[in-house]
Amino acid sequence: MFYSEADNILNSLRDIVSKSLKEFSEEYINEAYRLIHTLKGAAGFVGMDDLVYICHKWEDALNLIRSTKKYKEFIPTLASAVEEINEVFTTSYSEDTFIISSGNLIEIEKSLLETIEDISAGRRENVERKLRYIYNRMVSLRTRPLNDVFRKVRMGLGDLLSKTGKKAILQTFGGNITVEVDILRKVETIIIHLVRNAIDHGIEYPEERIRKGKSEYGLVNISASQEGSYLRITVSDDGKGIDLDALRSKADEMGLKYKDPLELIFVKGFSSLREATELSGRGFGMDIVLEEARSLGGWVDVHTEKDKGTEVSVYVMAGLWGGRYLFCIVKGFGVAISIDYVHNVIPLEDVVKGGDGYKYRFGETLIPVLEYHEDAKFGIFLVKNSKGLIIAADDVVGVGTGTFHPMDFSNENFAGFVIDEGGSVYIMPNLIKVFMGV
């Protein structure tokens, strides 16, 4: 209960930072003070003396700003307060998680001893089930929260800003999401590159921001969320945006062909900057981001608007082990579909052919049917964000757990492959990308 309340208060404080960057109000100081005071009381109730001390310190800092009317200090002060409170909060949360994990180790040890006794006594009927339980428990210990990465980025932000002479506030969301350690290393590389780009290429110098009617402090957000079997990492800034005309000009100068100018930022060494900088060299470094994303069965989306900023979303497969899938046969090939998307399995009837492909008649609605063929007997009905589609299947094998293995397919409609508990291999479609085309 406390962690939920504390998380809500932190998000409210982050909202105040965001609102203050757009337009300052003295009431924001009072609102921030009340929230921190509430958090201090809740922390004292559960015996978190270190958080009580930190909250008291920032209450004093806000009181000083209020009494001296040094309002320019409010944004950096509150941003620092949020990050320090979040750090203490996260450390406490991680310690609780470790205690739970230690309990898991005791359970694993007990189950392992019982399994050894069963094997020695010739009782083999439950051995497979117990070994699967032990495996899943052990793998679950290989995860760490994304806050481990966020903490590193926060520690390095001051150095980045001092090298550029810029001012920026960093906000992080979704840090309690846990990720398998091997994935976390690659995600760390992705986030660091994107934050460096946001500072070096996106956020303007303070005097330029003031001329544009912005706060002298830029805003960089890192957010994480889970979408089915995918982990979405988004890094956004409120800077100048990517200069598409400059990209086109540079591409023409280099003789590069492209459909969308944003494709050019993924070309190794490509940059519209005339001079290299200490932070980003002569390229955006987005080729590295794309390479890491593809190595995890993912991809990268970029959205930018002049003087509004840039948002880069990286999708990677997060459920590398123990994921639940519906296994089926499509045109003779084994296919694994994340159970998160499956609405139901239906007999493939009432399929009509139109100018834009096959459709399934669902009442008065026509649902797109992918991979339709005459031998298809079943329709795998998938739903995401109120969108629906059907994958035509020859047969349905069943539902079970499997281990995902990413592959850098040239076809972005595929994420990798899944090996089920029996050792069978199934292709894994990139369903988020597929739904984008519906």
Side-chain angles (χ1 to χ4, degrees):
M1 184 68 180
F2 167 74
Y3 289 112
S4 177
E5 181 183 4
D7 198 43
N8 288 335
I9 290 174
L10 277 171
N11 285 332
S12 296
L13 290 170
R14 292 185 180 107
D15 287 342
I16 294 173
V17 173
S18 299
K19 290 187 292 186
S20 298
L21 287 169
K22 296 175 182 176
E23 185 177 0
F24 173 74
S25 168
E26 287 186 47
E27 180 55 32
Y28 291 154
I29 301 177
N30 299 328
E31 188 179 348
Y33 182 91
R34 286 194 296 269
L35 287 167
I36 292 176
H37 185 75
T38 299
L39 180 59
K40 183 178 76 171
F45 184 78
V46 296
M48 292 184 63
D49 295 337
D50 49 351
L51 187 53
V52 170
Y53 171 78
I54 294 299
C55 289
H56 185 74
K57 180 182 79 171
W58 290 112
E59 279 181 335
D60 289 345
L62 291 176
N63 264 331
L64 183 62
I65 292 173
R66 190 160 47 187
S67 62
T68 60
K69 299 187 182 302
K70 293 182 178 180
Y71 299 135
K72 274 195 169 184
E73 296 180 6
F74 174 64
I75 293 175
T77 298
L78 183 57
S80 298
V82 169
E83 293 308 315
E84 186 170 7
I85 291 170
N86 185 66
E87 181 71 22
V88 176
F89 170 67
T90 301
T91 300
S92 173
Y93 185 88
S94 298
E95 286 173 353
D96 284 353
T97 303
F98 179 75
I99 292 170
I100 296 171
S101 297
S102 299
N104 285 343
L105 284 173
I106 295 171
E107 288 184 26
I108 291 170
E109 182 181 16
K110 179 182 177 182
S111 296
L112 191 55
L113 290 173
E114 289 176 354
T115 304
I116 292 172
E117 288 178 4
D118 286 345
I119 293 173
S120 300
R123 298 189 296 268
R124 299 181 178 275
E125 60 274 9
N126 293 323
V127 169
E128 184 178 345
R129 177 181 57 81
K130 288 182 177 180
L131 286 175
R132 189 180 304 125
Y133 168 83
I134 292 169
Y135 170 77
N136 289 334
R137 281 293 196 181
M138 291 184 69
V139 172
S140 70
L141 299 179
R142 295 165 51 193
T143 61
R144 291 295 304 162
L146 281 167
N147 267 322
D148 285 3
V149 175
F150 294 169
R151 189 180 301 116
K152 290 183 181 180
V153 174
R154 283 195 291 270
M155 290 173 63
L157 182 65
D159 184 52
L160 290 177
L161 295 175
S162 65
K163 286 178 178 178
T164 61
K166 298 179 179 181
K167 295 181 179 181
I169 303 300
L170 176 68
Q171 293 191 137
T172 58
F173 306 87
N176 289 335
I177 294 175
T178 56
V179 180
E180 206 272 340
V181 172
D182 289 340
I183 301 176
L184 196 66
R185 295 192 185 100
K186 292 178 179 288
V187 169
E188 180 179 328
T189 299
I190 290 170
I191 291 176
I192 288 174
H193 271 86
L194 293 180
V195 170
R196 288 163 70 96
N197 270 340
I199 299 298
D200 199 29
H201 294 284
I203 299 298
E204 307 96 331
Y205 289 98
E207 56 272 20
E208 182 181 351
R209 291 182 62 86
I210 291 173
R211 283 199 304 270
K212 292 179 177 179
K214 298 181 179 181
S215 165
E216 62 180 329
Y217 290 91
L219 179 63
V220 178
N221 286 331
I222 309 174
S223 64
S225 60
Q226 289 177 303
E227 298 190 13
S229 298
Y230 287 87
L231 170 68
R232 177 182 179 179
I233 299 290
T234 299
V235 176
S236 62
D237 66 72
D238 68 342
K240 58 189 175 184
I242 298 173
D243 190 335
L244 301 182
D245 290 335
L247 292 182
R248 294 185 185 99
S249 176
K250 186 67 175 181
D252 293 342
E253 182 183 314
M254 297 174 65
L256 296 176
K257 296 182 179 180
Y258 57 90
K259 292 181 180 179
D260 183 338
L262 286 175
E263 296 172 7
L264 297 166
I265 66 175
F266 297 105
V267 176
K268 187 174 183 179
F270 183 91
S271 177
S272 58
L273 296 177
R274 295 298 177 183
E275 297 181 359
T277 68
E278 183 178 355
L279 292 187
S280 299
R282 292 191 177 276
F284 286 92
M286 291 296 290
D287 58 309
I288 296 174
V289 172
L290 182 60
E291 181 181 333
E292 295 288 12
R294 284 181 169 173
S295 74
L296 293 172
W299 72 96
V300 183
D301 282 337
V302 182
H303 300 280
T304 190
E305 186 176 352
K306 184 177 180 181
D307 289 332
K308 297 292 185 181
T310 300
E311 178 182 280
V312 182
S313 293
V314 181
Y315 295 82
V316 298
M317 287 295 298
L320 296 193
W321 53 268
R324 287 183 59 77
Y325 304 92
L326 183 144
F327 299 106
C328 58
I329 306 299
V330 177
K331 292 185 175 179
F333 293 95
V335 174
I337 299 173
S338 173
I339 204 70
D340 298 315
Y341 295 94
V342 178
H343 182 264
N344 62 354
V345 178
I346 58 175
L348 204 55
E349 302 169 349
D350 294 329
V351 175
V352 296
K353 185 176 182 180
D356 55 348
Y358 289 95
K359 307 282 186 180
Y360 174 80
R361 194 181 301 279
F362 186 73
E364 297 182 359
T365 305
L366 293 177
I367 308 295
V369 179
L370 307 183
E371 305 299 333
Y372 180 76
H373 54 290
E374 291 183 358
D375 295 331
K377 300 176 183 177
F378 302 96
I380 315 301
F381 199 158
L382 310 179
V383 176
K384 174 179 167 55
N385 296 337
S386 300
K387 286 185 176 181
L389 64 84
I390 293 171
I391 295 179
D394 311 351
D395 197 7
V396 175
V397 179
V399 175
T401 58
T403 304
F404 172 78
H405 298 268
M407 285 185 67
D408 186 4
F409 286 106
S410 57
N411 187 336
E412 290 189 341
N413 287 330
F414 295 99
F417 61 92
V418 173
I419 301 177
D420 71 6
E421 293 176 335
S424 298
V425 179
Y426 297 83
I427 297 170
M428 175 79 172
N430 188 337
L431 289 178
I432 291 184
K433 205 72 174 178
V434 172
F435 269 102
M436 286 180 177
V438 174

